[in-house]
Structure formats: C-alpha cells, structure tokens
Amino acid sequence: MIQFENLVKRFRRNQVLRGVDLTIERGDRVALVGSNGAGKTTLIRCLLGEYTCEGRVSVDGMDPRQQRRAVLAKVGFVPQLPPPLKMPVRQLVRFAASLCAADPLRMEAVAKRLGLDVERFRSQPFVKLSGGQKQKLLIAIALGRDSELLVLDEPAANLDPEARHIFFQLLAEKRETAAMLISSHRLDEVAALVNRVVEMDQGSVVLDDRVADLVDLSSRLRCRIRLNQREGAFANAIGDWSFRGSEDGLLWEGEVAGPDRLRFLGLLTRYAALLAAIELHEAEKPNRSGSPADG
C-alpha cells in the first residue's frame, strides 16, 4: 500500500532522511519510533505530500505530491501538534467531513465516545480548546470516517486514561480495514497497539521487525495495589489514572486499558520501593446487554 524508495530529504545542508526504503501493507500496524530528530515526522510529511523529496513515495501507486487529493481521501491523520485553527468546532467538523465526503454526525459521535461533546463547544474556536479536547476532536475527525490508512503522530499524548481506552477501542474497530502508522518517541506508548516496529535514527531505518500481536486493543485490566507506606507523590501519580484509594492511602484499585499495560508498569517502577503487592488481571468483557459475559 505504501512504498518509500531511497527517500532523501534535505533542509538546506541538513540531510534529515538518508535513503529510506520501507514498505507498509494493509493489515500492518506499524510503530514508527525513534528519538526526537530521528526523521519520523519528516517521513510522515513526505507521505502526506507536504514536502518535496528525492526518491519515491507512493500510496496505492499514487504520488502524494502529484495526486494529493486522491491520496488524502484515503488517509485519516492525527498530527503531533494541533494546528492553530480559529474555526469554530462545529464548523471545523463539517468542513473536515466535506473534504472526504464523510458524515459529520459520525465524527461527532466518535468525539462523544472520547468524552468531547461537540454540541457544547460548537461555537468555540478550535484554538481555544484545551490540549486534551483538541486531541479528541482531531482523533474523531480522523477515525470518524472511512480510511484505508491511519497516520497518527503521538496520538494519545494528551488523553486521559479513559479517553485512551476508548481510543484503543476505536483502533480495534479499524484493524481489519486500515493500515496504521503510529509515530512515537517512546515504544512503551505504542508497543501493544502494533504488529510491527520500525525504528529510525538520524534519518535512517535501523530496525524493522515483526512483533507478537497478542493484546486485545479493547481489553481492560483490573489492578489492585498495596503500599507499605503512604506517599503523596504516588497518590498524585496514580490519581491521574483514576485509581481509587483507601482512607489510609495504602490500598489503590482501578482499571487500565490493556494496551496501556507497559506504560502503566513503567509508572509503577518509579515507586518500586513502596510496593507491597500488585494484582493485575484481565477484566471480564460486558456482553451486548451490558452484563459480564458468561464463562
């Protein structure tokens, strides 16, 4: 579906991409990882036709520069930095939907699932929203339409834990119909979302590896943590994950989205000396009636 062939991009004398060769097929969910400055965002912008470059980029055989409208019609894109748009929220949704012949109500429904009521903010300029609200709206615009390719640049960076879980559910619904390219500077942010890892360093691909695809993107993990002493810093950190604490501050309970398990365990390692016990197991999924599934 996507082909990068000997891709080179220079900004004056600075060579940012150094002969990148990469193929991404339908069904691939690719983590594009690397430190800041590795070339990830530049590669994405070449894919979207924003930059001229040496070499060749194609999406289903089409050149993103020469056939940009046709290429972008296939792409749902969430940028790393929200654009400084002054357009009111409702108008922005309708404008975005018109560009890809999508239903704006479908985008609004996705935003509502993520916790953003478009009707409530309909007249508010996009630029005036909080970081998390902007991210939710951009995700809703990208995922609330039929896309063959999802390009997501640090997509969950500003989302609260519940919104992250809904975001992972939305990706699960797309996994059979769209290829995904998910950029992040931290592998633990995206490891459980993907079946392939591509690492970049100084403008080159230094690793391209298939990984086990074992995590249910829509799963939740129930967690119970006991501390050996009360600690305010831990309470603040775990509170950001919507965990509930006992009165003495020694017992904490909550749920973690399945794909966030590595990120969550990374948090716990910062407080390893405080941990007396951890219980972590997959929560039962509700059936369509809303009650736990049998068996």
Side-chain angles (χ1 to χ4, degrees):
M1 181 177 188
I2 303 171
Q3 188 80 41
F4 299 98
E5 297 179 33
N6 194 28
L7 196 67
V8 174
K9 177 60 184 175
R10 295 181 176 86
F11 293 101
R12 297 183 179 179
R13 295 183 178 180
N14 183 24
Q15 188 170 345
V16 180
L17 298 178
R18 304 172 182 272
V20 173
D21 290 304
L22 187 65
T23 300
I24 300 172
E25 303 289 354
R26 282 180 175 81
D28 284 349
R29 285 175 281 117
V30 179
L32 183 64
V33 299
S35 60
N36 291 332
K40 306 185 302 298
T41 298
T42 301
L43 187 73
I44 287 173
R45 291 190 174 185
C46 291
L47 172 63
L48 298 176
E50 295 181 19
Y51 290 156
T52 58
C53 52
E54 301 172 39
R56 182 171 179 266
V57 185
S58 65
V59 179
D60 279 349
M62 296 183 291
D63 186 310
R65 291 287 293 182
Q66 302 300 322
Q67 299 160 283
R68 195 173 186 201
R69 188 178 184 88
V71 168
L72 294 183
K74 297 175 176 287
V75 179
F77 174 53
V78 179
Q80 180 180 10
L81 299 175
L85 299 174
K86 297 181 179 179
M87 192 180 296
V89 167
R90 170 63 68 80
Q91 183 181 346
L92 176 58
V93 171
R94 295 187 179 277
F95 173 71
S98 70
L99 294 178
C100 55
D103 182 357
L105 294 180
R106 184 175 165 193
M107 293 180 177
E108 291 182 19
V110 173
K112 193 164 189 177
R113 285 179 64 183
L114 288 164
L116 178 67
D117 186 349
V118 171
E119 183 63 27
R120 177 184 172 192
F121 296 97
R122 59 181 298 172
S123 300
Q124 187 162 329
F126 175 79
V127 73
K128 297 293 187 181
L129 297 178
S130 70
Q133 290 168 341
K134 290 175 183 176
Q135 198 76 352
K136 290 174 183 179
L137 189 62
L138 293 173
I139 290 172
I141 289 172
L143 273 62
R145 49 166 293 198
D146 295 324
S147 303
E148 297 179 41
L149 171 63
L150 294 175
V151 180
L152 313 171
D153 197 350
E154 303 281 2
N158 292 314
L159 297 183
D160 56 85
E162 181 58 27
R164 287 175 67 92
H165 178 64
I166 300 301
F167 171 60
F168 299 145
Q169 288 183 332
L170 291 166
L171 291 185
E173 294 166 10
K174 295 278 191 178
R175 65 188 300 170
E176 301 299 330
T177 59
M180 301 181 194
L181 182 62
I182 307 174
S183 175
S184 179
H185 69 284
R186 291 178 52 181
L187 182 56
D188 64 340
E189 289 279 343
V190 295
L193 303 177
V194 302
N195 55 19
R196 183 177 170 192
V197 175
V198 172
E199 183 179 357
M200 295 189 67
D201 184 42
Q202 297 183 0
S204 299
V205 173
V206 296
L207 173 71
D208 185 354
D209 200 10
R210 295 280 174 178
V211 296
D213 189 12
L214 302 176
V215 177
D216 181 349
L217 297 183
S218 62
S219 65
R220 282 183 184 266
L221 301 172
R222 289 180 180 168
C223 185
R224 182 183 176 97
I225 301 169
R226 183 172 293 279
L227 305 182
N228 52 39
Q229 69 179 52
R230 185 169 183 161
E231 173 57 56
F234 179 85
N236 291 334
I238 204 72
D240 290 339
W241 289 75
S242 301
F243 271 56
R244 302 169 301 278
S246 60
E247 289 187 9
D248 61 8
L250 296 180
L251 180 64
W252 294 85
E253 295 180 298
E255 291 191 347
V256 178
D260 257 345
R261 67 186 71 196
L262 187 58
R263 180 170 174 262
F264 180 71
L265 291 173
L267 167 71
L268 294 186
T269 60
R270 289 159 44 190
Y271 302 96
L274 297 174
L275 302 177
I278 303 173
E279 297 176 24
L280 194 65
H281 59 88
E282 191 161 346
E284 292 183 0
K285 288 187 177 181
N287 59 27
R288 292 184 180 180
S289 66
S291 59
D294 294 336

